[in-house]
Amino acid sequence: MAAPRIGNVLCRISNCNFTSVLLEKINNSRSWTCLQQIRHRQAFPPAAWYVKQKTTDLDENLTKENEEFLDDVMKDVYKKRLDRVFSPLEDGPWKRNDYNKYTRRTGVLAIKIGVVPQWTKEGKRFTTTMLQIIDNHVIRYTPPEKFMKSAGWKPWWGNKYGVAVVGALSTNPRIYTKEYNNLFMESGVPPKKKLTRFLITENAAVQPGTPLNVMHYRVGDVVDCSAKTIDHGFQGVVKRWGMKGMPKSHGVTKTHRRMGTTAGGKFKGGIWKGKKMPGLMGNRWRTARGLKIWRVNTKYNVLYVTGQNVPGNTHGFVRVMDTKLPLRKPAPENPPPMPTWYPEDATEPIEEEYFDKDLFQFTEESVKFAAEKK
Amino acid sequence: MAASMSCKNVFLKISSASRRNLKRSYCQSTNLTNAEVRRKRNEIFETEKKRQLGLITRMEKIQVDVKGPPEDCTLIMNKGISTPFNCSMHIQELLVNRSALALVNGEPWDMHRPLKEDCSIEFLHFLDEDPRIVNKAFWRSCCLVLGHVLETALQNQYYVELCSFPKPHLQSGSFVYDADLKLKDWKPTTAELNCLTRVGYKLHHLDFKFERLEVDASVALDMFKDNHFKSQQIPYIAESSGSKVVVYRVGDHVDISSGPCIASTNQIGRFNVTAAHQIDTPDYGKLYRVQGLGLPSQVMMHYWSYDILRRRAGKFNTAPLPRLNMESSPHTDDNTEIST
């Protein structure tokens, strides 16, 4: 069973208890995920599409029975909507198109769980990052013509791309404002904690309300993971730019971790723009490209991707997309599920774990090496 | 021609029993409108109020013991003029704003009703330990506001006659006013209900006091002579309470109600007209049961939770239909009911 159904327990590795309206008992506390503290260099006015998310703290003073009743009503409302098969709109399921080399499918919103080692069949050890695709649904799809007129469009995209807004982690609507809750009316899903958008080509249009899970990717696929890097705050030049600093002793006075010279003398005209200096380090969007998926766990919706350098903290949100590297894209005879995976695509029963063919599984016999001749 | 037609339609709707009590008038009667009737009622109320105030020739003092937060204190107030509201003004602004009712010697008492003798007062608000009395008063006040909405909202050619409202019962999910709207098979759309809601919600900002007045049955009959439902009910009401009828005024809307009402419309935080169902009564003929939902300003609720209540308030309220006989007179109200 690929998609986690109502009642299944979520991944509890590293003691992080994620709760979702659909998946477990409601937890009304506001601090669920360990998101990075957002510290901006400058305060910008909000974007044109910005909608105030949280309500002010309402002292509702409801009795315990009333709270439980409201939770039951919420589960009832959303369970009814999502039990319907992929047609929250009256016009029914959308057409599924074929994959070609120009297709950009929607990505998913995952949480970086942690880093674990894996072994190849030759016995080589390498690290992988686990990314859990957590309660994703497509919230909205905007076709290219409409997207071109909206606030978030950049001219160099032309009319190639539409937008799919994907949300992660269903939450209690009672902590959000009416404007924010109304964003989810079209798709019929509970309001999500985190929203992101993906640029997609028209042939990869996904219907709002479609759940996205780990079967959207296959073992052996290559993905790009982008996230906000770990926020180190205001850092000096040695940590931030890797400068050498000065010796700790031998007469050095008051200059151990400083920059030293700033400019190149009067001929170079002073300090050049972009000079490496102390400042805020981290908390920037970075993308790790070309990460191969070695292993897929369908029970908990976890991807194991190469490397331990997926940006961000543990339990930070990560945008996972099909890679843009041209030599790593899937072969035309092996296209990925378009626009995403649906349960009716399953030709055989879905296993709990899928492994890459080069990955060593510990249920197999141990790797044997021939003894070296002396 | 049009005037006589409307008069004729009015008379066609009433039952045969009540027809005996009414004088028939044809083209001479002016085209009754709610605005005109409201103005007349207001005038009578105003003159009666002034007259009752004029009866007090001497300023006598009474001792009022105020209990409760912030502290117990004793006030010397004017007999027959000072109200619990005036007492709260002497103490704290918090009490002035949040107090909806007062308990005078244990009896529920309107905030703007004059005190008659030495007494002890306690102020009640909506976030009390046991707010049952205040809740019932709130429901009752919302019924009055609903009556105001019905008399004001419709166009001039529809002369609305309010009939009565049942005892406040919060568990039913909505407050109710039964009225003759002179409309045929009207099923209000969401937009129309929203318009009615807005008329009622405006009162929150206008901050009208619920003014109570005890009038003689004859004065009451004079006030409500243009409403044939109320004209029939007044004799029965007066009978049970010694030829006195209690009348409330909100802004310029005057209506009959027995029990205490809240202090002012500012304390109505949320007000919604949720439905209008058609009912058929044996005594009064075909009426509309207009239902609404409200929340006090003190009570905070997220819109999502309130919407659940609002949807429920749209369902037909099974409160008893308006009857004319004394036992189930809708305006008598048992405030000592233990049931919540």
Side-chain angles (χ1 to χ4, degrees):
Chain A
M1 226 332 285
R5 282 253 172 158
I6 292 160
N8 267 16
V9 169
L10 285 181
C11 196
R12 283 180 187 255
I13 294 172
S14 53
N15 287 327
C16 196
N17 182 9
F18 293 111
T19 52
S20 156
V21 162
L22 296 179
L23 301 173
E24 231 189 289
K25 189 174 184 298
I26 314 297
N27 177 7
N28 268 355
S29 104
R30 296 207 182 199
S31 52
W32 295 351
T33 57
C34 315
L35 295 171
Q36 285 195 129
Q37 192 185 357
I38 308 296
R39 273 177 261 163
H40 297 290
R41 285 179 301 145
Q42 278 169 275
F44 295 103
W49 61 80
Y50 177 73
V51 154
K52 188 177 171 211
Q53 193 186 31
K54 295 262 178 80
T55 55
T56 48
D57 250 307
L58 282 175
D59 219 353
E60 279 189 322
N61 286 321
L62 294 175
T63 58
K64 190 155 169 270
E65 291 93 36
N66 282 336
E67 293 267 10
E68 283 169 17
F69 168 72
L70 285 175
D71 290 342
D72 285 336
V73 169
M74 184 194 345
K75 275 193 195 148
D76 211 35
V77 161
Y78 292 123
K79 186 173 190 292
K80 274 194 201 134
R81 284 195 217 161
L82 294 174
D83 271 350
R84 284 182 293 173
V85 185
F86 295 126
S87 45
L89 305 177
E90 279 129 327
D91 55 341
W94 288 3
K95 187 164 169 285
R96 299 178 70 176
N97 302 311
D98 290 324
Y99 185 83
N100 58 53
K101 66 174 181 172
Y102 302 111
T103 307
R104 259 207 200 179
R105 296 189 307 160
T106 175
V108 292
L109 252 187
I111 281 181
K112 181 173 151 182
I113 303 281
V115 165
V116 286
Q118 296 290 301
W119 285 263
T120 60
K121 288 211 162 91
E122 282 83 51
K124 180 169 169 252
R125 180 192 184 277
F126 63 98
T127 33
T128 53
T129 310
M130 295 187 295
L131 301 169
Q132 182 174 32
I133 297 169
I134 194 154
D135 195 16
N136 279 16
H137 283 95
V138 176
I139 305 301
R140 179 169 65 210
Y141 169 69
T142 314
E145 318 82 52
K146 197 171 167 206
F147 178 46
M148 281 172 80
K149 297 179 194 145
S150 72
W153 179 75
K154 300 280 186 269
W156 55 85
W157 291 330
N159 64 345
K160 283 189 285 181
Y161 303 116
V163 158
V165 173
V166 170
L169 261 191
S170 311
T171 328
N172 193 338
R174 286 165 55 213
I175 62 174
Y176 293 133
T177 54
K178 197 171 199 170
E179 299 83 37
Y180 188 75
N181 281 331
N182 287 349
L183 296 173
F184 303 93
M185 274 208 299
E186 189 190 342
S187 52
V189 301
K192 299 285 187 183
K193 203 171 166 58
K194 194 84 180 163
L195 290 175
T196 189
R197 74 172 185 191
F198 293 101
L199 297 180
I200 57 178
T201 45
E202 254 193 296
N203 68 339
V206 212
Q207 200 168 13
T210 319
L212 301 171
N213 50 52
V214 83
M215 300 298 284
H216 185 72
Y217 297 107
R218 290 102 27 101
V219 162
D221 277 351
V222 180
V223 292
D224 294 341
C225 297
S226 71
K228 278 242 178 163
T229 51
I230 295 173
D231 190 0
H232 297 283
F234 197 100
Q235 286 301 331
V237 120
V238 169
K239 187 179 172 82
R240 196 179 183 210
W241 298 115
M243 295 189 186
K244 286 188 75 182
M246 266 124 298
K248 289 204 176 141
S249 65
H250 291 306
V252 177
T253 39
K254 303 201 292 185
T255 328
H256 304 289
R257 297 177 69 84
R258 283 178 164 209
M259 205 160 54
T261 349
T262 48
K266 67 178 176 188
F267 297 106
K268 293 212 174 162
I271 304 175
W272 284 8
K273 271 206 182 295
K275 175 83 194 73
K276 292 180 181 176
M277 287 191 176
L280 289 175
M281 179 182 169
N283 196 28
R284 290 164 178 257
W285 280 100
R286 288 292 182 263
T287 310
R289 300 230 184 254
L291 306 178
K292 178 177 166 185
I293 298 173
W294 286 90
R295 183 172 157 184
V296 156
N297 181 314
T298 53
K299 185 178 177 197
Y300 295 110
N301 269 342
V302 179
L303 297 168
Y304 289 70
V305 297
T306 22
Q308 84 272 47
N309 60 340
V310 169
N313 282 334
T314 317
H315 309 136
F317 278 102
V318 173
R319 285 161 49 93
V320 181
M321 304 159 272
D322 291 333
T323 191
K324 76 168 201 181
L325 302 176
L327 300 177
R328 302 279 183 269
K329 291 200 174 170
E333 55 271 5
N334 186 21
M338 278 285 286
T340 185
W341 183 87
Y342 295 96
E344 58 254 25
D345 293 349
T347 44
E348 61 232 337
I350 297 163
E351 293 160 46
E352 194 182 314
E353 295 261 12
Y354 289 99
F355 300 89
D356 187 66
K357 56 177 172 32
D358 295 328
L359 195 69
F360 178 75
Q361 298 177 44
F362 280 85
T363 46
E364 297 168 354
E365 270 185 36
S366 185
V367 176
K368 289 201 172 94
F369 294 98
E372 275 180 12
K373 285 184 182 167
K374 285 186 187 168
Chain B
M1 195 53 210
S4 72
M5 282 305 289
S6 68
C7 292
K8 208 174 170 192
N9 287 338
V10 163
F11 291 128
L12 278 172
K13 286 219 159 63
I14 55 177
S15 64
S16 55
S18 36
R19 226 179 260 172
R20 270 176 258 128
N21 303 330
L22 282 167
K23 291 187 189 145
R24 284 187 186 252
S25 55
Y26 296 103
C27 299
Q28 263 107 20
S29 83
T30 51
N31 206 356
L32 272 178
T33 59
N34 284 114
E36 214 181 284
V37 167
R38 197 164 49 242
R39 194 183 51 79
K40 273 196 271 176
R41 269 191 210 143
N42 215 7
E43 267 173 32
I44 301 171
F45 188 97
E46 204 53 57
T47 37
E48 178 60 24
K49 189 172 173 187
K50 284 206 176 88
R51 186 195 72 85
Q52 287 193 9
L53 208 60
L55 292 173
I56 302 167
T57 47
R58 239 163 54 118
M59 205 62 86
E60 283 175 26
K61 296 293 182 187
I62 49 169
Q63 184 173 307
V64 176
D65 297 311
V66 179
K67 236 195 301 180
E71 55 180 8
D72 294 350
C73 55
T74 314
L75 303 166
I76 307 290
M77 309 298 287
N78 295 323
K79 179 175 176 174
I81 301 172
S82 304
T83 61
F85 186 78
N86 299 135
C87 297
S88 70
M89 281 161 84
H90 281 293
I91 304 167
Q92 204 179 45
E93 199 186 343
L94 175 73
L95 290 177
V96 170
N97 292 332
R98 78 172 187 188
S99 304
L101 274 189
L103 275 180
V104 171
N105 291 335
E107 191 196 330
W109 201 269
D110 297 77
M111 286 295 284
H112 297 288
R113 182 178 167 188
L115 298 163
K116 295 268 156 50
E117 53 189 9
D118 293 354
C119 53
S120 74
I121 286 188
E122 222 184 294
F123 293 110
L124 303 176
H125 61 103
F126 294 104
L127 295 181
D128 267 335
E129 284 286 321
D130 187 10
R132 279 178 289 194
I133 303 173
V134 211
N135 285 347
K136 287 225 165 88
F138 178 77
W139 225 232
R140 208 177 290 118
S141 320
C142 287
C143 287
L144 291 182
V145 171
L146 190 54
H148 163 84
V149 167
L150 291 175
E151 283 202 332
T152 343
L154 298 192
Q155 291 175 12
N156 273 336
Q157 67 254 41
Y158 303 107
Y159 174 58
V160 170
E161 282 177 281
L162 301 175
C163 178
S164 67
F165 54 89
K167 287 190 204 179
H169 184 235
L170 273 75
Q171 267 81 345
S172 63
S174 56
F175 49 80
V176 157
Y177 215 123
D178 301 316
D180 186 13
L181 301 179
K182 312 283 189 313
L183 297 167
K184 212 179 171 188
D185 292 327
W186 178 55
K187 287 197 173 47
T189 59
T190 330
E192 287 177 326
L193 288 175
N194 283 342
C195 291
L196 289 171
T197 300
R198 261 177 272 141
V199 174
Y201 187 70
K202 261 190 245 173
L203 298 192
H204 167 83
H205 301 289
L206 294 171
D207 197 5
F208 290 134
K209 294 193 279 203
F210 282 84
E211 296 167 49
R212 183 185 189 276
L213 199 66
E214 239 177 78
V215 297
D216 198 50
S218 55
V219 180
L221 274 171
D222 192 25
M223 267 192 210
F224 292 99
K225 68 170 184 284
D226 295 310
N227 183 330
H228 61 272
F229 301 120
K230 306 252 180 202
S231 319
Q232 293 169 62
Q233 291 161 6
I234 286 169
Y236 288 109
I237 299 166
E239 219 176 307
S240 63
S241 54
S243 138
K244 286 279 183 188
V245 175
V246 176
V247 150
Y248 279 90
R249 180 169 72 165
V250 188
D252 59 357
H253 171 73
V254 182
D255 207 349
I256 308 168
S257 175
S258 66
C261 285
I262 59 176
S264 97
T265 53
N266 196 35
Q267 290 171 339
I268 301 175
R270 280 176 135 124
F271 182 86
N272 277 83
V273 179
T274 48
H277 300 281
Q278 281 182 302
I279 53 170
D280 208 347
T281 56
D283 290 340
Y284 301 113
K286 284 199 163 57
L287 298 176
Y288 277 90
R289 172 156 280 189
V290 186
Q291 292 166 207
L293 179 68
L295 267 189
S297 317
Q298 252 190 315
V299 173
M300 287 284 172
M301 203 178 218
H302 193 267
Y303 85 89
W304 196 88
S305 328
Y306 183 73
D307 267 355
I308 298 173
L309 294 175
R310 210 168 42 79
R311 278 192 290 271
R312 181 175 174 238
K315 296 188 188 156
F316 180 70
N317 192 322
T318 50
L321 296 176
R323 302 298 317 257
L324 195 48
N325 54 21
M326 207 184 81
E327 281 86 25
S328 51
S329 169
H331 298 301
T332 57
D333 215 293
D334 194 8
N335 286 313
T336 55
E337 257 175 34
I338 304 299
S339 65
T340 50

